[in-house]
Amino acid sequence: MKIIKFGGSSVANTENIQKVFAIIKDKLKTHEITVVFSAFGGVTENLLTIAALAKKGDQTYRVMLQTLEEKHMNLVRELIPVHQQSMVMTYVKVRFNELEDLFHGIFLIKESSPRTMDYVVSFGERLSTFILSEALQGNGIKTQFLDARDVIRTNSRFGQAKVDFEVTNSQIQKFFKEHEGMKVVTGFVASTEKGETTTLGRSGSDYTSAIFAAALNADDLEIWTDVSGVLTSDPSLVYTAFTIPQLSYNEAMELSHFGAKVIFPATMQPAMRKNIPIYIKNTFAPENPGTLINGEVNKRSLIKGISSMSKISMVTVEGAGLMETIGASSRIFKALAEAKVNILLISQASSEHSICLAIKSDEAAIAKEAIESEFHYEIRSGEMEPVKLQHDLATIAVVGENMKQNPGASGRMFRALGRNNINVAAIAQGSSELNISAVISHQDLQKALNALHEAFFLSENKVLHVFLIGTGLIGKTLLGMIYRRQEKLQKGSELDIQVHGLANSRYMAFHEDGFDLVDPHELSEKDAKMDLEKFVRQMEEMNFSNSVLVDCTASQTVADAYERILQAKVAIVTPNKKANSSSLATYQKLKSLAKKRGVKFLYETNVAAGLPVISTLQDLMLSGDNVIRIEAVLSGSMNYIFSELENGAPFSEVVRKAKEKGYTEPDPRDDLSGMDVARKILILGREAEQELEFDAIEVQSMVPEDCQNAKSVEEFFEKLQGHDAHFAQLLEEAKAKGEKLRFMATLENGKAKVGLNSLPQEHPFSSLKGSDNMILLTTERYHDFPMIIRGPGAGADVTAAGVFADVIRIGNYTRE
């Protein structure tokens, strides 16, 4: 015997019901089956809404009732052959006449008791099961309709009745002996000894199927839903959640208790007592094996799933009067039990000074009142503090029977939470070591679930979630690098980089599973218009663990958003110098905020593209060294111009050539002004712990005065030709002294200068060619022989490589 239950969206419309019928026909080929049905999709909720309207005296309940009746009549017309419809329609009409009388009574007296509401909602299952039973008959399957009220006996606790299993099992067995054909049973409903209609509470139809499975010693129980089994976590919050192939009864119950919605503890109890396997299957993907729940413990997985509950409040009871006071805890629990408050999690300090209880938020006020009433005298005398409530919380729980044999589960859990800056308000672990639970802020829930899911289920590869603003030359080059190195990173560095957000100055797009980098998404008018506020908000709402914003723009507006992004615990990688070269206060605030929030703010490419200048300087300072002097050629474009000038070409021609090669900005004046170099030496000075402001830097511009106001780039070049002789003279004067011209920056004694210098042949800068950069660091440790850092300091490839290296550093940091 196989017991099968269908409900929810499985029986929401004709198309889905036909899929149910196909599954039933297939099962009948090999098994004797009994089918339990829930109400048609949405009907129970409609009945409750109609009752609420009638209770308020709102006559629109009649319209809703008429619509509900028509829905059932239409299903009769669609599912049952014409020659059989009359009898079924009569049954449906009689039931809705009863409902009309019931709701009219509620409308007149403006109240509805729990007993009345049980009778009202019972119509959902009674109507659906009868119609579906007759529809199966019309499909050539011999069926026997069974109203579960005739065999399941309960007490009179309306809304959540308790089953008398001795009487119920006897009556089920007797019915099956006396009736032939496939039994089609109403879920959710039962009756008292007096024949009063009761319901079985949350997930009542699943419970009905388990009751029948236990009473008939069924081979197994199949519960068909709209998901392919129990998932490792909530798929609406964890996009990488996947089906758990097998769970023990205890694991399934723990996951259910802490929020997993596919199956509920009461459902399993009858089947668990008889050791009957339970399968959770997907009506819309019947080929999927789903999840098997039985008495076995799978030894391969440390944990089986991560569940969560929202809308949680924490009740804190504390005070010196609790210490070494016998019976204080029992008084708390008794007070809450009498107030019918369900406790989800308990955490008590070893000193017994405080007890924390996690409960549903809608019961928080009741809990506070109940405890304070019980401890009225202790609070009044000062032995105990008034009860404290903390709202907007959530619970998370990692569940698995193998945790008891394998140490380190709690360490992995809290390391993952800590690495993602998720604060834990309370912790609880049962003596069975079956689960570890924690209370966290609700705003951290999605990030916590993803962090834990990656830590326990995707631990082979740490996932880094990237949001890229700036898809120009550097941004596109970066995406290409990520794609080309993806496989090697996953294998060698155990790092999986996924790009979830893309934006340029005009458009933006997001992808929950990550964009396909084989053929990168091209932003266009088909995407949303770029709005930085909306981009940041979407990034926050996606709430991935290990998130990184990569800013490949030169935008002040984007830089101004860094503070908010760091506050949201999102790391930042950027070549954009605007933030670090703004006011000293802003620079210091961002550095401090990143440290406080425990996220990385990396900007190696602010200076000298991909050269390891900033990280080297930071390491020197961290190790206790002291910078005496910095000399640097920091502009690849300027170095190219003045080294090429030595080959005899006019200055204006060399600048034009540099622009054509992409070494300068679209308007070369941005480079020739020296302002870019000034920003870079400012950043290096600040990294050397010198409190510099930009306006204190002495800058020599290479833009002649009459060229500065040129209305176009072409006009600029025309005017620049008139100064070729001046630059040729500067070059000749340097040659006459055996020296070379280099545009450089110096920092010494807290003073910074930027400008053109004539340097002797033996100076390291004299050997520079092309677009190379060079930095000389003279420190207390490197005094006689300065540290030299040299290499390409311009170009999309080297800059993108530097950004990529920073992204990988963050990935390595999250693995520590």
Side-chain angles (χ1 to χ4, degrees):
M1 169 68 72
K2 183 186 289 289
I3 308 297
I4 307 176
K5 179 264 175 179
F6 294 98
S9 57
S10 299
V11 288
N13 54 53
T14 304
E15 181 183 354
N16 292 354
I17 291 169
Q18 293 297 348
K19 292 177 182 177
V20 168
F21 286 178
I23 292 169
I24 291 172
K25 288 178 181 179
D26 184 61
K27 296 292 180 183
L28 281 170
K29 294 175 184 177
T30 54
H31 294 86
E32 178 186 355
I33 68 173
T34 291
V35 180
V36 177
F37 283 118
S38 295
F40 291 127
V43 169
T44 301
E45 291 79 6
N46 285 336
L47 289 169
L48 291 169
T49 301
I50 293 168
L53 290 171
K55 187 176 178 179
K56 290 193 299 184
D58 187 339
Q59 296 215 28
T60 57
Y61 83 87
R62 300 179 190 275
V63 179
M64 279 196 69
L65 183 61
Q66 181 60 43
T67 302
L68 195 59
E69 179 179 347
E70 190 58 33
K71 174 180 179 177
H72 284 78
M73 289 296 189
N74 286 336
L75 285 168
V76 172
R77 296 184 189 101
E78 294 167 1
L79 294 170
I80 297 175
V82 176
H83 66 278
Q84 293 179 342
Q85 289 180 6
S86 179
M87 182 272 291
V88 182
M89 285 186 170
T90 299
Y91 177 90
V92 172
K93 186 62 181 175
V94 171
R95 299 290 84 75
F96 272 94
N97 287 343
E98 291 179 53
L99 274 172
E100 187 174 7
D101 291 341
L102 266 172
F103 288 130
H104 184 61
I106 294 172
F107 176 80
L108 291 175
I109 63 176
K110 303 294 187 295
E111 68 177 28
S112 55
S113 66
R115 180 170 64 178
T116 300
M117 290 310 300
D118 267 8
Y119 190 54
V120 165
V121 295
S122 75
F123 280 82
E125 274 70 17
R126 289 158 60 198
L127 285 161
S128 66
T129 306
F130 185 81
I131 293 170
L132 293 171
S133 177
E134 293 300 316
L136 286 166
Q137 290 269 22
N139 275 262
I141 300 171
K142 184 179 179 181
T143 64
Q144 178 66 54
F145 170 70
L146 172 56
D147 187 334
R149 295 180 301 171
D150 295 336
V151 293
I152 299 180
R153 195 68 63 239
T154 70
N155 62 9
S156 57
R157 185 181 176 186
F158 299 101
Q160 199 164 6
K162 298 299 180 183
V163 176
D164 182 335
F165 282 98
E166 185 176 350
V167 174
T168 296
N169 291 345
S170 175
Q171 293 186 155
I172 290 173
Q173 292 160 7
K174 182 173 184 255
F175 184 91
F176 272 67
K177 285 179 182 178
E178 296 175 353
H179 297 84
E180 295 181 351
M182 185 183 78
K183 315 303 185 296
V184 182
V185 185
T186 57
F188 187 49
V189 297
S191 66
T192 67
E193 189 177 0
K194 297 179 181 178
E196 300 164 309
T197 297
T198 57
T199 59
L200 300 177
R202 188 183 186 191
S203 195
S205 293
D206 289 356
Y207 192 24
T208 300
S209 62
I211 292 168
F212 274 81
L216 298 168
N217 288 310
D219 296 324
D220 55 57
L221 165 62
E222 292 183 1
I223 297 176
W224 290 77
T225 69
D226 56 0
V227 293
S228 296
V230 181
L231 301 185
T232 49
S233 195
D234 184 343
S236 67
L237 299 174
V238 180
Y239 308 125
T240 54
F242 56 88
T243 300
I244 306 170
Q246 184 272 337
L247 290 167
S248 70
Y249 293 119
N250 289 331
E251 288 168 335
M253 290 179 71
E254 287 291 324
L255 285 171
S256 171
H257 176 75
F258 283 97
K261 298 179 177 64
V262 175
I263 193 165
F264 299 98
T267 298
M268 288 179 283
Q269 289 289 351
M272 181 178 174
R273 283 194 289 268
K274 293 288 188 76
N275 200 29
I276 296 170
I278 302 171
Y279 291 89
I280 311 297
K281 304 273 286 179
N282 188 345
T283 308
F284 310 109
E287 71 285 353
N288 193 301
T291 298
L292 166 63
I293 302 172
N294 58 17
E296 298 179 9
V297 177
N298 187 318
K299 300 294 185 182
R300 288 176 293 178
S301 303
L302 178 61
I303 74 162
K304 289 295 186 66
I306 307 162
S307 58
S308 62
M309 295 180 72
S310 301
K311 298 180 180 177
I312 300 299
S313 293
M314 192 158 66
V315 178
T316 302
V317 184
E318 60 184 356
L322 291 177
M323 297 178 65
E324 300 181 4
T325 301
I326 298 174
S329 297
S330 65
R331 287 173 63 191
I332 293 172
F333 301 139
K334 179 183 176 184
L336 293 177
E338 290 175 350
K340 297 182 179 179
V341 173
N342 184 38
I343 301 171
L344 303 172
L345 178 148
I346 303 167
S347 180
Q348 183 171 10
S350 58
S351 65
E352 302 179 3
H353 179 263
S354 68
I355 300 174
C356 297
L357 310 170
I359 61 173
K360 293 179 180 178
S361 291
D362 55 10
E363 296 178 345
I366 299 170
K368 176 178 171 67
E369 183 179 350
I371 296 172
E372 289 185 342
S373 176
E374 173 66 27
F375 289 89
H376 171 73
Y377 293 108
E378 287 86 348
I379 294 173
R380 188 175 177 182
S381 65
E383 295 177 40
M384 200 173 93
E385 300 292 329
V387 173
K388 297 177 183 176
L389 295 180
Q390 187 177 350
H391 301 293
D392 298 321
L393 301 174
T395 62
I396 50 173
V398 296
V399 174
E401 295 217 42
N402 287 328
M403 287 194 292
K404 64 185 76 171
Q405 283 94 26
N406 294 282
S410 58
R412 189 185 298 189
M413 174 180 179
F414 295 114
R415 185 166 58 249
L417 296 177
R419 183 61 70 196
N420 285 278
N421 302 290
I422 297 163
N423 187 48
V424 176
I427 303 167
Q429 182 172 12
S431 57
S432 66
E433 299 183 46
L434 183 58
N435 88 66
I436 306 171
S437 310
V439 180
I440 62 173
S441 170
H442 182 267
Q443 69 176 10
D444 288 331
L445 177 58
Q446 185 171 17
K447 182 177 285 189
L449 288 174
N450 279 279
L452 293 175
H453 199 265
E454 290 174 9
F456 284 102
F457 296 113
L458 305 176
S459 56
E460 291 183 1
N461 289 320
K462 172 61 66 176
V463 181
L464 212 58
H465 304 280
V466 170
F467 296 83
L468 171 64
I469 301 180
T471 55
L473 192 54
I474 294 173
K476 285 182 179 178
T477 305
L478 173 64
L479 292 175
M481 288 179 175
I482 294 173
Y483 166 66
R484 289 190 296 275
R485 298 291 294 177
Q486 214 164 32
E487 186 175 347
K488 187 166 184 178
L489 281 172
Q490 290 172 355
K491 290 180 179 179
S493 301
E494 299 180 340
L495 182 63
D496 182 9
I497 300 175
Q498 298 177 2
V499 180
H500 296 276
L502 294 171
N504 58 25
S505 60
R506 300 176 64 193
Y507 305 107
M508 62 182 184
F510 295 89
H511 197 300
E512 287 182 350
D513 298 324
F515 289 101
D516 182 1
L517 299 184
V518 176
D519 183 19
H521 180 81
E522 289 289 342
L523 292 166
S524 68
E525 63 274 2
K526 296 178 182 178
D527 297 306
K529 288 185 178 180
M530 174 55 176
D531 183 314
L532 183 60
E533 167 65 26
K534 291 180 179 178
F535 186 95
V536 174
R537 186 165 64 247
Q538 179 66 30
M539 181 173 64
E540 291 171 341
E541 289 173 356
M542 292 180 84
N543 205 18
F544 287 114
S545 59
N546 307 320
S547 291
V548 184
L549 174 80
V550 177
D551 172 19
C552 287
T553 74
S555 167
Q556 182 66 55
T557 304
V558 178
D560 289 342
Y562 287 1
E563 182 178 346
R564 173 179 171 179
I565 292 164
L566 293 172
Q567 283 283 11
K569 302 176 184 177
V570 174
I572 296 174
V573 170
T574 183
N576 185 349
K577 296 179 282 292
K578 294 295 174 65
N580 287 327
S581 62
S582 59
S583 70
L584 178 63
T586 297
Y587 166 83
Q588 292 173 334
K589 186 174 185 179
L590 292 175
K591 297 270 285 187
S592 174
L593 183 58
K595 185 177 181 180
K596 179 181 177 183
R597 301 302 277 172
V599 292
K600 290 295 183 180
F601 174 34
L602 302 184
Y603 42 87
E604 184 68 76
T605 48
N606 272 194
V607 178
L611 296 181
V613 181
I614 290 177
S615 57
T616 300
L617 192 50
Q618 289 174 339
D619 288 343
L620 288 173
M621 302 307 295
L622 187 64
S623 64
D625 204 350
N626 182 45
V627 173
I628 297 171
R629 181 171 61 258
I630 298 175
E631 299 169 273
V633 171
L634 295 172
S635 171
S637 55
M638 294 293 277
N639 192 62
Y640 173 83
I641 289 168
F642 283 101
S643 59
E644 280 293 307
L645 194 62
E646 296 169 4
N647 295 327
F651 184 75
S652 60
E653 185 179 316
V654 172
V655 174
R656 187 183 289 275
K657 186 177 177 182
K659 178 181 179 298
E660 290 171 354
K661 285 180 172 288
Y663 290 152
T664 72
E665 295 295 325
D667 188 337
R669 283 173 289 186
D670 294 338
D671 298 275
L672 294 172
S673 68
M675 301 305 285
D676 183 61
V677 175
R679 291 190 188 94
K680 292 175 181 177
I681 194 64
L682 173 69
I683 293 170
L684 291 181
R686 288 174 174 176
E687 293 298 319
E689 299 179 0
Q690 299 189 24
E691 298 187 349
L692 292 174
E693 292 286 4
F694 187 81
D695 56 11
I697 299 174
E698 184 181 325
V699 182
Q700 178 191 6
S701 173
M702 292 292 100
V703 182
E705 193 172 331
D706 65 326
C707 296
Q708 187 64 51
N709 298 321
K711 295 179 180 179
S712 67
V713 174
E714 195 53 43
E715 183 184 342
F716 158 72
F717 276 116
E718 291 175 3
K719 291 187 175 183
L720 188 61
Q721 291 177 16
H723 299 275
D724 284 343
H726 168 70
F727 287 100
Q729 183 180 348
L730 292 175
L731 179 63
E732 288 303 317
E733 290 174 357
K735 284 182 176 180
K737 293 186 290 184
E739 296 180 345
K740 292 191 176 185
L741 295 178
R742 293 292 180 262
F743 193 83
M744 57 182 284
T746 58
L747 173 67
E748 190 171 8
N749 298 323
K751 294 182 179 180
K753 294 181 180 180
V754 172
L756 191 64
N757 285 260
S758 182
L759 302 175
Q761 291 282 355
E762 62 271 18
H763 194 286
F765 290 169
S766 294
S767 64
L768 285 172
K769 300 290 184 182
S771 62
D772 277 4
N773 280 190
M774 182 183 287
I775 299 93
L776 304 181
L777 299 177
T778 302
T779 71
E780 290 180 351
R781 198 175 293 156
Y782 296 89
H783 186 271
D784 295 333
F785 300 97
M787 179 184 289
I788 300 175
I789 302 170
R790 176 178 178 171
D797 285 345
V798 291
T799 303
V803 172
F804 191 22
D806 273 350
V807 170
I808 294 171
R809 284 189 190 97
I810 290 177
N812 292 334
Y813 165 76
T814 62
R815 292 199 62 83
E816 293 175 6

